[in-house]
Amino acid sequence: QLSQFWYSQDTALRLATEAVAAAGERGRIACVSAPSVYQKLRSLHREDISVYIFEYDKRFAIYGEEYIFYDYNNPLDLPEKIATHSFDIVIADPPYLSKECLRKTSETIKYLTQGKILLCTG
C-alpha cells in the first residue's frame, strides 16, 4: 500500500553519477525517499563513498546500517548517529506532490546537507 515509484535504470544511473561527482572523494550521499538511486549507487561498488537511504519502507532495512527509517511527517526524527550537515549531497524525491510534504522534506534536507541538493519530483 506504499506509494513507491521507481526510476528507469538510465535515470537512476544518471542521478547516481551526478551524486558521486558532487560528493567527491570519500563523499557521503543521503538518498531521501529515492530508493532506486540508492540501489544504483550500491551497484556501482564505490568504496570511496558512503551512501545512506532514508526511507519509510522498512523492506530497505536489509541494507543494515545504511538504512535509516524516515517519515516525512517527522522530518527531524533521525538517529543520533546522523549528525547535522554530515552529507556532501542529498538526493531527495518527496513521496507526495504537496506543499506540506515538500516543506517537511526540505527540513530534513537542510539538516542533512552541507549545501548540495539534488531534488527530483514530478
Side-chain angles (χ1 to χ4, degrees):
Q1 299 262 348
L2 297 174
S3 177
Q4 196 71 271
F5 295 93
W6 299 89
Y7 298 126
S8 70
Q9 289 295 314
D10 290 342
T11 300
L13 177 60
R14 177 63 188 253
L15 293 170
T17 302
E18 292 293 329
V20 168
E25 219 173 292
R26 290 189 294 277
R28 289 174 46 89
I29 302 171
C31 296
V32 177
S33 304
S36 52
V37 177
Y38 169 78
Q39 289 178 325
K40 185 56 72 177
L41 284 162
R42 283 187 53 98
S43 75
L44 295 176
H45 302 293
R46 296 282 305 254
E47 294 182 21
D48 61 329
I49 61 168
S50 60
V51 184
Y52 288 81
I53 180 165
F54 294 75
E55 176 61 51
Y56 186 83
D57 188 341
K58 292 183 178 179
R59 291 178 293 178
F60 293 97
I62 64 169
Y63 293 113
E65 293 292 315
E66 294 178 356
Y67 170 77
I68 307 296
F69 177 77
Y70 174 69
D71 180 352
Y72 80 89
N73 290 299
N74 300 300
L76 300 178
D77 185 13
L78 303 170
E80 287 183 19
K81 72 177 184 177
I82 303 299
T84 307
H85 308 304
S86 58
F87 289 89
D88 296 292
I89 183 168
V90 175
I91 302 171
D93 188 349
Y96 300 103
L97 294 176
S98 70
K99 186 182 273 187
E100 175 195 17
C101 181
L102 185 56
R103 183 181 57 75
K104 289 180 176 182
T105 302
S106 295
E107 287 181 52
T108 307
I109 293 168
K110 286 169 62 175
Y111 178 86
L112 296 173
T113 190
Q114 293 177 7
K116 297 177 186 173
I117 301 165
L118 189 79
L119 180 65
C120 305
T121 186

